[in-house]
């Protein structure tokens, strides 16, 4: 087992086998793992919001689904991954607070998940697994040796997708 690389909130990074990469405490945020099974290069983005075009003067590309996924793919290609082989797995997007259903902020988790899927589709990256929604936080780990995406939640068994 290599080292564990940590990704913070509104952050992204890449790693290569034998290393693994993790992000903690995904609530309504989405953890997007992208992986090239041949080079064993993986990337993980912890995105907080669906769409960078809605925010003025935004400098943090990792915070948003659209710009964060693009940047992650770019970095993986620079590291030697091939976009045609990339597959994606996503987790998070929980509904952490009970709010009025009509409120647009109410389900930012669901909007994050939808925006992430739309961006992956636009880039031609296949979404092969997901664990999103519900009402609990998740910590995720992408193991670049195997491509396994581990999902840990308090009081629940570890799930591998």
């Amino acid at each position: 087992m290599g080292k564990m690389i940590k990704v913070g909130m509104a952050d992204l990074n890449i790693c290569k086998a034998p290393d693994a990469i993790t992000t903690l405490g995904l609530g309504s945020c989405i953890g997007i793992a992208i992986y090239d099974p041949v080079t064993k290069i993986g990337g993980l983005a912890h995105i907080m919001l669906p769409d960078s075009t809605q925010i003025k003067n935004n400098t943090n590309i990792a915070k948003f689904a659209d710009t964060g996924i693009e940047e992650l793919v770019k970095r993986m290609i620079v590291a030697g991954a091939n976009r045609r082989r990339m597959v994606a797995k996503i987790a998070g997007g929980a509904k952490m607070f009970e709010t009025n259903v009509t409120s647009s902020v109410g389900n930012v988790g669901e909007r994050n998940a939808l925006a992430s899927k739309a961006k992956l589709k636009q880039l031609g990256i296949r979404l092969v697994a997901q664990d999103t929604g519900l009402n609990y936080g998740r910590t995720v780990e992408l193991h670049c040796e195997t491509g396994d995406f581990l999902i840990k939640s308090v009081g629940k068994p570890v799930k591998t997708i």
Side-chain angles (χ1 to χ4, degrees):
M1 177 78 182
K3 60 181 189 295
M4 182 66 79
I5 297 161
K6 286 197 167 48
V7 170
M9 236 171 143
D11 188 14
L12 55 83
N13 209 336
I14 64 169
C15 77
K16 194 170 179 170
D19 296 342
I21 190 165
T22 184
T23 192
L24 313 175
L26 291 166
S28 61
C29 297
I30 292 265
I32 298 150
I34 300 178
Y35 183 68
D36 175 345
V38 177
T39 55
K40 295 189 188 292
I41 292 170
L44 183 64
H46 181 143
I47 64 117
M48 294 172 69
L49 293 166
D51 184 4
S52 66
T53 61
Q54 302 297 308
I55 313 279
K56 288 188 179 62
N57 309 325
N58 161 50
T59 51
N60 186 349
I61 50 179
K63 193 174 193 172
F64 303 92
D66 54 353
T67 47
I69 293 172
E70 241 166 55
E71 176 66 15
L72 197 58
V73 169
K74 209 183 296 174
R75 288 195 198 179
M76 287 175 66
I77 290 169
V78 168
N82 182 319
R83 190 202 297 230
R84 283 195 303 277
R85 292 193 299 253
M86 288 179 190
V87 290
K89 297 177 180 180
I90 65 172
K95 192 174 170 167
M96 298 305 284
F97 312 100
E98 278 311 312
T99 52
N100 180 340
V101 182
T102 56
S103 147
S104 67
V105 284
N107 212 344
V108 74
E110 191 180 356
R111 295 200 340 267
N112 280 340
L114 291 170
S116 300
K117 289 179 204 173
K119 188 65 192 182
L120 290 165
K121 193 175 191 146
Q122 188 197 326
L123 294 173
I125 297 169
R126 219 158 37 94
L127 179 66
V128 292
Q130 59 181 321
D131 181 51
T132 59
L134 301 173
N135 61 346
Y136 53 85
R138 296 163 173 88
T139 288
V140 294
E141 291 174 8
L142 173 65
H143 290 262
C144 289
E145 192 55 63
T146 56
D148 285 349
F149 198 36
L150 273 58
I151 296 153
K152 301 174 176 180
S153 302
V154 177
K156 295 187 171 20
V158 175
K159 190 169 177 178
T160 302
I161 63 170

